[in-house]
């Protein structure tokens, strides 16, 4: 199943995906309570980290932080990377039940849960831009929302709300386009049955190109819907009572993602041969996805302020984008970037690219 059939980016309704968490292949078995234990002699013990999807290149920074010992150096006995997917709980559900300590999610998934009573905050974001895009044939390109007018666009049911939000952000309505109900295999686009396809920047454009279908795309984030993605979400209790532990974790994550950005080839190898070995990933495709992903992780602002940071302007833009999706929430109720600011204040060297 394609990742976008799940709530974490597409579902703007606030529902949560049910089911039991699946522990990652790498890392010890654990209840994943996230409270940590020092029985192993480490400072912070073991924590459970809920990934937002199955183990692929998307979590390259976490792989580096684990493989190169950054988590252990930070004081953790072990960090269990819990794979997301069909059999997993959502990050928000896991935080609510205490089964995880931190998770990777998205504003449009976390915000509804917070509005429904979850006491949690986003403390940083891996992706500065959400990867949602419209992909189209290079021969009949759609390079902006305005280009979609009068065209056939394949839209998956779970992506209907975010697609409508894109239209609203560009003063358009569903009547301006012909919406074709779609699944997640973009073959209808390659066959010419539709003109555009709701896609993921690091997925369909790359797989279509590999099959010989020349294509182009534009990001939702560049046209009025600048939502971030792969946000690091924790309970308010963690921020209040485990601040040093959270700062240590974030510092290790920063080191891991600096390495991932600097070495996409090794990131792909770790995904294919180690952490995502059971997913039967294609190495060359993962390398291309790693390169595309770097463009979402690194921005002019992160070059100045450091990875995972969000400027006040980006926070405000996300709140505005959520409002266009009919999710009204105040910034201070959803974001707390103070912990990350402390990390960089205490370790300014982390703002520098990996050697």
């Amino acid at each position: 199943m394609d990742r976008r059939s799940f709530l974490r980016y597409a579902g703007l309704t606030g529902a949560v995906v049910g089911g039991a968490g699946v522990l990652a292949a790498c890392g010890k078995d654990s209840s994943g309570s996230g409270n940590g234990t020092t029985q192993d002699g480490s400072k912070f013990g073991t924590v459970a980290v809920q990934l937002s999807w199955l183990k692929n290149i998307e979590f390259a920074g976490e792989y580096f932080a684990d493989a190169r010992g950054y988590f252990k150096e930070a004081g953790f006995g072990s960090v269990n990377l819990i794979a997301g997917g069909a059999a997993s709980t959502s990050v928000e559900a896991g935080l609510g039940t205490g089964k995880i300590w931190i998770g990777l999610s998205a504003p449009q998934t976390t915000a509804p849960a917070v509005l429904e009573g979850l006491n949690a905050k986003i403390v940083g974001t891996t992706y500065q831009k959400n990867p949602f895009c419209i992909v189209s044939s290079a021969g009949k390109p759609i390079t902006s929302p305005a280009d979609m007018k009068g065209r056939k666009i394949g839209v998956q049911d779970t992506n209907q709300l975010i697609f409508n939000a894109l239209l609203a952000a560009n003063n358009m309505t569903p009547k301006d386009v012909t919406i074709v109900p779609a699944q997640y295999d973009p073959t209808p686009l390659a066959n010419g049955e539709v003109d555009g396809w709701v896609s993921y920047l690091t997925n369909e454009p790359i797989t279509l190109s590999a099959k010989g279908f020349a294509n182009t795309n534009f990001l939702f984030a560049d046209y009025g819907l600048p939502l971030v993605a792969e946000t690091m979400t924790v309970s308010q209790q963690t921020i209040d009572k485990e601040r040093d532990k959270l700062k240590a974790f974030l510092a290790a994550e920063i080191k891991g993602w600096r390495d991932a950005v600097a070495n996409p080839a090794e990131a792909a190898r770790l995904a294919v041969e180690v952490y995502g070995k059971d997913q039967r990933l294609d190495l060359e495709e993962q390398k291309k996805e790693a390169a595309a992903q770097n463009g979402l992780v690194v921005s002019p602002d992160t070059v100045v302020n450091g990875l995972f940071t969000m400027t006040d302007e980006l926070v405000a833009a996300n709140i505005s984008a959520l409002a266009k999706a009919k999710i009204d929430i105040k910034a201070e109720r959803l974001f707390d970037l103070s912990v990350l600011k402390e990390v960089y204040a205490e370790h300014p060297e982390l703002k520098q690219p990996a050697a």
Side-chain angles (χ1 to χ4, degrees):
M1 292 185 68
D2 189 279
R3 60 181 305 113
R4 286 164 307 287
S5 61
F6 290 89
L7 248 180
R8 54 191 207 91
Y9 293 134
L12 302 176
T13 61
V16 287
V17 179
V22 179
L23 285 177
C26 297
K28 302 174 185 176
D29 254 2
S30 167
S31 63
S33 65
N35 294 324
T37 172
T38 57
Q39 292 179 351
D40 58 11
S42 66
K43 183 176 182 179
F44 297 123
T46 296
V47 294
V49 181
Q50 174 78 54
L51 305 179
S52 57
W53 188 241
L54 303 174
K55 289 184 172 183
N56 59 16
I57 194 64
E58 194 167 337
F59 313 106
E62 284 72 34
Y63 304 155
F64 271 103
D66 183 48
R68 294 191 170 177
Y70 299 145
F71 287 136
K72 287 190 178 297
E73 290 172 5
F76 295 92
S78 62
V79 171
N80 290 332
L81 302 178
I82 302 175
S88 70
T89 60
S90 71
V91 164
E92 290 71 23
L95 288 172
T97 59
K99 291 184 179 297
I100 64 169
W101 183 69
I102 191 169
L104 301 177
S105 189
Q108 63 268 32
T109 307
T110 303
V114 170
L115 290 171
E116 291 171 3
L118 179 67
N119 196 9
K121 295 277 177 62
I122 291 170
V123 296
T125 186
T126 309
Y127 287 178
Q128 293 288 301
K129 290 184 176 181
N130 193 295
F132 268 120
C133 69
I134 297 293
V135 65
S136 60
S137 167
K140 296 173 61 179
I142 297 175
T143 59
S144 70
D147 287 349
M148 295 192 298
K149 290 183 178 180
R151 311 285 287 275
K152 294 179 180 179
I153 310 297
V155 183
Q156 303 80 13
D157 182 62
T158 49
N159 291 335
Q160 189 66 61
L161 286 171
I162 198 167
F163 180 70
N164 286 347
L166 173 69
L167 295 176
N170 290 276
N171 300 313
M172 297 169 63
T173 73
K175 293 181 180 180
D176 291 319
V177 300
T178 299
I179 295 176
V180 179
Q183 297 300 316
Y184 297 92
D185 179 355
T187 298
L189 174 64
N191 290 343
E193 298 170 34
V194 296
D195 301 303
W197 197 263
V198 175
S199 305
Y200 212 62
L201 181 68
T202 58
N203 193 326
E204 286 89 347
I206 294 171
T207 58
L208 285 167
S209 292
K211 294 177 180 179
F213 182 76
N215 62 83
T216 187
N217 65 77
F218 73 83
L219 281 168
F220 288 24
D222 291 336
Y223 288 90
L225 212 63
L227 293 166
V228 293
E230 296 300 355
T231 46
M232 298 175 181
T233 305
V234 300
S235 69
Q236 185 64 49
Q237 180 176 332
T238 294
I239 296 172
D240 295 339
K241 298 184 178 181
E242 296 183 299
R243 201 172 186 90
D244 287 344
K245 182 176 177 179
L246 180 56
K247 287 196 289 186
F249 179 85
L250 290 174
E253 281 275 88
I254 292 166
K255 292 178 182 178
W257 272 103
R258 288 195 314 168
D259 288 355
V261 168
N263 196 341
E266 176 62 8
R269 188 195 71 79
L270 286 173
V272 173
E273 298 181 6
V274 184
Y275 294 87
K277 189 175 182 178
D278 61 342
Q279 298 300 311
R280 299 190 296 276
L281 303 168
D282 179 86
L283 181 61
E284 290 307 312
E285 184 175 297
Q286 292 293 289
K287 286 180 181 178
K288 291 177 181 177
E289 292 189 10
Q293 176 172 264
N294 282 352
L296 303 173
V297 173
V298 179
S299 73
D301 289 327
T302 64
V303 170
V304 175
N305 302 317
L307 296 178
F308 307 158
T309 57
M310 292 180 68
T311 63
D312 292 343
E313 292 78 13
L314 184 56
V315 169
N318 271 256
I319 296 301
S320 177
L322 290 172
K324 292 170 184 173
K326 303 188 186 305
I327 301 173
D328 294 312
I329 190 169
K330 292 185 180 300
E332 58 269 23
R333 193 172 177 189
L334 183 60
F335 296 99
D336 185 345
L337 301 170
S338 64
V339 181
L340 190 58
K341 289 178 181 178
E342 289 177 18
V343 171
Y344 280 115
E346 294 168 11
H347 302 283
E349 72 278 4
L350 291 178
K351 291 184 179 180
Q352 302 302 316

